């Protein structure tokens, strides 16, 4: 398969985007199946469509592995681009609104909330940085790599869950952008719906062009964001309640609130792991793991820290500043606009820039979802990524419009919940990698990414995954459900789903995988 791919036909002119970012030409090749169809039956509709996409500098590659001889030179890409990519993606208003929840929902003091948010994000960034290192090493998209851990069929379950996460994140981003754009309009005359549609359309346009444009956009998108967020911090920062204290009826409840907010911020970071390798598949196979890991950690942790602290500061003032309280009661986006209100018209301009900055955060889940959908079935893989990206944009735009008045509930219920499956998958991946592939000497054969007869059966991974989910359910603390283990921590529970799910899956996977290898040999 790999040899056939290397020798298959290559098509397409030099990409304008490639020249713009100073990268080598990205060539689009036909798969062996497509190449055979072309010679036997003539040029199929799919091949015609691929040629059409390439003629407009659109990325036509889907889930096919990027072979070593197709990779880019790191001298032109650079490891600095890795850090910039993550910094740009993450320096967005959705993380500011997440920080607000510390004081306003969990009633945490400023110092408490900052420490929990920052360290929660750091812990969550570690798995994301780890998964990112498999992009250059394998040349496979993140959830194609999941086949090597979960097996051909169970991996589809991970794909489905990741699609829900990606769609949910984009929905949250769209709602926040819509809230901000609505708040800056005269007397809020512009509907939140209009703002949602605007950022969704802009995101769709960028993701349609694919990998090169995504990297190019993210290389510069952080610049206006760091400027306007610094202005926000400077204007509103003097009103932050830095001396606010955590309030709770008793010590156990205080511990539960702290644990839940820590878990929420961990979930915000760890969910990037489901797409972390997608953006580095064109890096050379010899790229040092530690460089990708370090650059990812730097980009993510710095942007999380900056955005979270601004959000916590704004949230800390809600209880004591009437105008901030009124704005927060309208929406979290309106509170951001109110923080810039002393600047008048210029403050509204900065708010618009912040709203449009959410496009940078919407691009990765939108782009990766288009690829993930192709993993679900052979016939889905035959439909171009561009089409699936369009479908995803339509879905989350509709969902954002429907849920535009319930952002805080979506954040606290959805985000923490969907972090559970990633933590469980990471536990299984770590053990498969280090115990069975490295220490066991089996290694990875990256050329068999689409050969289900050589990939793991996945029985051990599926059982461990389900057991991990059982542990997460028993330990979760959400508004609509508090597990029996979580109930032991305070009046409102303490969310421990990530940690119990990770631990339970990690305990049962090694013996199950050993039995699977003994029985099936793969």
């Amino acid at each position: 398969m790999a040899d056939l791919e290397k020798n298959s036909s290559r098509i397409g002119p030099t990409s304008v985007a490639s020249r713009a970012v100073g990268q080598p030409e990205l060539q689009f090749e036909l798969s062996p199946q497509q190449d055979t169809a072309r010679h036997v039956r003539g040029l199929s509709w799919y091949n015609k469509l691929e040629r059409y996409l390439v003629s407009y500098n659109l990325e036509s590659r889907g889930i096919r592995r990027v072979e070593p001889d197709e990779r880019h030179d790191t001298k032109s890409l650079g490891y600095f681009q890795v850090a910039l990519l993550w910094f740009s993606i993450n320096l967005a208003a959705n993380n500011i609104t997440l920080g607000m929840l510390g004081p306003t929902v969990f009633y945490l003091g400023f110092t408490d909330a900052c420490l929990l948010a920052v360290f929660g994000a750091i812990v969550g960034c570690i798995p994301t940085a780890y998964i990112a290192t498999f992009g250059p090493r394998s040349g496979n998209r993140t959830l194609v790599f999941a086949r090597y851990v979960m097996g051909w069929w169970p991996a589809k379950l991970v794909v489905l869950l990741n699609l829900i996460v990606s769609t949910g994140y984009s929905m949250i981003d769209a709602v926040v952008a819509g809230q901000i754009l609505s708040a800056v309009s005269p007397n809020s005359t512009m509907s939140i719906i209009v703002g949602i549609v605007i950022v969704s359309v802009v995101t769709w346009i960028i993701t349609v062009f694919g990998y090169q444009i995504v990297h190019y956009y993210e290389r510069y998108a952080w610049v206006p964001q760091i400027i306007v967020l610094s202005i926000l911090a400077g204007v509103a920062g003097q009103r932050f309640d830095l001396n606010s204290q955590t309030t709770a009826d008793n010590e156990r409840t205080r511990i539960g609130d702290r644990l839940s907010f820590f878990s929420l911020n961990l979930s915000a970071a760890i969910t990037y792991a489901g797409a972390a390798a997608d953006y580095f598949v064109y890096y050379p196979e010899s790229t040092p793991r530690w460089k990708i890991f370090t650059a990812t950690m730097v980009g993510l942790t710095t942007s999380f820290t900056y955005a979270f602290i601004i959000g916590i500061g704004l949230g800390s003032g809600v209880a004591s500043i009437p105008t901030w309280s009124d704005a927060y009661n309208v929406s979290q986006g309106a509170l951001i606009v109110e923080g810039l209100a002393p600047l008048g018209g210029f403050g509204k301009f900065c708010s618009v820039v912040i709203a449009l900055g959410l496009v940078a955060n919407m691009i990765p889940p939108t782009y990766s979802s288009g690829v993930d959908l192709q993993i679900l079935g052979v016939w889905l893989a035959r439909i171009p990524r561009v089409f699936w990206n369009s479908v995803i944009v339509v879905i989350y735009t509709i969902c954002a419009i429907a849920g535009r008045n319930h952002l805080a509930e979506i954040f606290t219920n959805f985000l923490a919940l969907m972090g559970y499956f990633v933590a469980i998958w990471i536990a299984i991946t770590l053990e498969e990698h280090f115990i069975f592939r490295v220490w066991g000497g089996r290694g990875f054969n990256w050329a068999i990414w689409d050969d289900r007869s050589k990939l793991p059966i996945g029985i051990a991974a599926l059982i461990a995954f389900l057991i991990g989910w059982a542990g997460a359910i028993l330990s979760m603390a959400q508004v609509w459900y508090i597990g029996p283990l979580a109930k032991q921590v305070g009046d409102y529970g303490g969310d421990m789903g990530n940690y119990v799910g990770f631990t339970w899956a990690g305990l049962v996977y090694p013996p199950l995988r050993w039995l699977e290898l003994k029985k099936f040999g793969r």
Side-chain angles (χ1 to χ4, degrees), residues 68-86:
D69 61 351
E70 297 177 288
R71 311 295 180 86
H72 293 159
D73 185 352
T74 52
K75 291 181 179 178
S76 55
L77 277 171
Y79 301 109
F80 189 56
Q81 169 66 14
V82 179
L84 277 183
L85 176 79
W86 290 116

Side-chain angles (χ1 to χ4, degrees), residues 1 37 64-65 165 223 227 266 307 310 326 355 375 455:
M1 179 71 181
R64 284 179 285 117
R65 183 188 180 220
V165 169
V223 176
I227 293 173
L266 184 154
I310 292 176
D326 292 341
I375 302 173
L455 291 165

Side-chain angles (χ1 to χ4, degrees), residues 423-446:
I424 296 166
W425 174 60
I426 291 295
I428 297 170
T429 301
L430 284 167
E431 292 182 332
E432 175 68 22
H433 179 200
F434 291 106
I435 297 176
F436 298 101
R437 302 289 183 161
V438 176
W439 297 336
R442 298 177 61 85
F444 288 102
N445 180 2
W446 302 121

